């Protein structure tokens, strides 16, 4: 893991960039900001900065002061922890359009995980200290952002239920369907992350991931082409969630 070139207390690159129009649109569409008024959104955007990270570069370390939260605009960021035996466990893979570290920033304290770029990554960084001043000055802004966060937490509870209670095959299918929902092409999934990272995210070994994908491939549900998955039968893929024994 490289943290070279990160030269402030929170492991953030010192070079900052203004937000372009496309990046501003990505901010506006995120759940936390989608219901803000134009004036409230202008307050938020004044606190935002664009940052870039190279593949493998660290965004922050576990235990650092949670002074910023982030929106991914391109690439992927992996959130992970290191076990007592030195094994890396991927907690989540953050895709474009999604925030991370927002809850811990609002609560104060320290980052509970490490964050690092999977590939070339562009982020929008929000300094919570600056945003906090805006929240104090505008109770309406604070309540609307809290409402957006509450909706997001509700969705995460459902996701945790799927990941914690399902079999390995169900966890993989749920993850693939989640990727498919965000994919520009409803039949193609781009697996940007390395196989070992995806396996850790699903909670299996890389060799188990390969076997599970092969089981989905055999009946023609999907096809594997390098880092792409071509989904031929989404209905059958969804059906595996209800009846995993039919395939796994």
């Amino acid at each position: 893991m490289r943290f070279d070139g990160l030269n402030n207390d929170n492991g953030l690159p010192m070079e900052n960039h203004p937000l372009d129009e496309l990046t501003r649109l990505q901010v506006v569409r995120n759940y936390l900001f989608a219901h803000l008024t134009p004036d409230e959104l202008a307050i938020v955007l004044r606190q935002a900065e664009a940052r870039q990270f190279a593949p493998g570069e660290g965004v922050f370390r576990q235990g650092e002061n949670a002074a910023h939260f982030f929106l991914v605009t391109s690439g992927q960021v992996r959130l992970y922890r290191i076990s007592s035996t030195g094994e890396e466990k991927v907690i989540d893979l953050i895709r474009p359009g999604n925030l991370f570290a927002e809850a811990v920033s609002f609560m104060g304290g320290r980052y509970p995980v490490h964050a690092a770029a999977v590939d070339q990554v562009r982020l929008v960084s929000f300094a919570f200290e600056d945003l906090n001043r805006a929240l104090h000055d505008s109770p309406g802004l604070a309540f609307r952002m809290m409402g957006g966060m509450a909706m997001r937490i509700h969705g995460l509870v459902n996701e945790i239920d799927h990941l914690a209670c399902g079999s390995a095959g169900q966890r993989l299918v749920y993850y693939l369907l989640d990727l498919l929902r965000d994919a520009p092409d409803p039949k193609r999934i781009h697996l940007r992350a390395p196989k070992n990272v995806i396996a850790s995210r699903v909670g299996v070994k890389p060799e188990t991931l390969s076997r599970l994908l092969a089981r989905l491939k055999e009946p023609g549900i999907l096809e594997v082409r390098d880092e792409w998955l071509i989904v031929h039968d989404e209905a059958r893929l969804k059906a595996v969630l209800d009846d995993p024994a039919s395939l796994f």
Side-chain angles (χ1 to χ4, degrees):
M1 178 55 54
R2 298 199 315 274
F3 284 90
D4 51 311
L6 306 180
N7 49 16
N8 68 14
D9 291 340
N10 291 309
L12 296 170
M14 293 305 294
E15 58 171 330
N16 302 331
H17 306 278
L19 304 189
D20 58 32
E21 190 58 34
L22 180 59
T23 302
R24 286 171 175 263
L25 284 174
Q26 287 179 289
V27 173
V28 171
R29 290 170 181 163
N30 183 267
Y31 81 89
L32 194 60
F33 310 114
H35 301 292
L36 303 187
T37 67
D39 288 344
E40 290 168 344
L41 188 61
I43 293 171
V44 170
L45 291 175
R46 281 201 297 269
Q47 323 302 335
E49 298 172 340
R51 301 181 184 274
Q52 300 183 53
F53 293 83
E57 192 171 5
V59 181
F60 55 73
R61 298 179 180 90
Q62 181 179 342
E64 288 181 342
N65 180 45
H68 295 76
F69 64 99
F70 307 87
L71 175 76
V72 179
T73 59
S74 66
Q76 283 191 109
V77 172
R78 80 179 191 278
L79 307 183
Y80 67 98
R81 303 189 80 166
I82 303 296
S83 71
S84 57
T85 60
E87 183 178 1
E88 179 181 305
K89 168 57 183 172
V90 176
I91 307 301
D92 205 356
L93 291 170
I94 310 300
R95 302 191 296 274
N98 292 300
L99 287 170
F100 64 99
E102 71 274 29
V104 68
S105 293
F106 274 83
M107 293 186 299
R110 299 183 179 278
Y111 295 118
V113 296
H114 301 281
V118 173
D119 45 12
Q120 192 70 36
V121 166
R122 289 179 59 87
L123 303 176
V124 179
S125 170
F126 300 90
F128 182 69
E129 183 178 350
D130 295 336
L131 185 57
N132 193 36
R133 286 195 291 268
L135 294 173
H136 278 292
D137 294 338
S138 174
L141 170 61
F143 279 110
R144 267 183 281 277
M145 292 185 77
M146 286 170 59
M149 190 170 289
M151 292 176 62
R152 172 61 175 161
I153 290 171
H154 179 73
L156 289 174
V157 169
N158 291 332
E159 181 176 348
I160 290 170
D161 183 57
H162 280 93
L163 293 176
C165 301
S167 65
Q170 285 174 305
R171 294 196 302 272
L172 174 61
V173 170
Y174 182 80
Y175 176 69
L176 294 179
L177 288 172
D178 188 43
L179 292 179
L180 198 61
R181 278 192 293 270
D182 291 342
D185 184 335
K187 296 293 183 182
R188 291 163 58 90
I189 299 172
H190 190 193
L191 300 177
R192 294 177 177 271
K195 183 175 25 174
N196 65 306
V197 173
I198 295 173
S200 180
R201 171 66 177 83
V202 177
V204 298
K205 298 292 185 183
E207 56 269 23
T208 303
L209 175 63
S210 296
R211 286 197 297 269
L212 292 173
L213 286 173
R215 296 298 296 271
L216 291 169
K217 181 180 176 181
E218 287 170 7
I221 294 176
L222 56 77
E223 179 182 351
V224 181
R225 295 182 186 173
D226 297 322
E227 59 183 25
W228 290 90
L229 297 182
I230 314 302
V231 179
H232 295 301
D233 195 334
E234 185 179 350
R236 289 181 68 190
L237 186 63
K238 290 179 177 177
V240 174
L241 289 177
D242 297 323
D243 185 18
S246 65
L247 192 63
F248 298 117

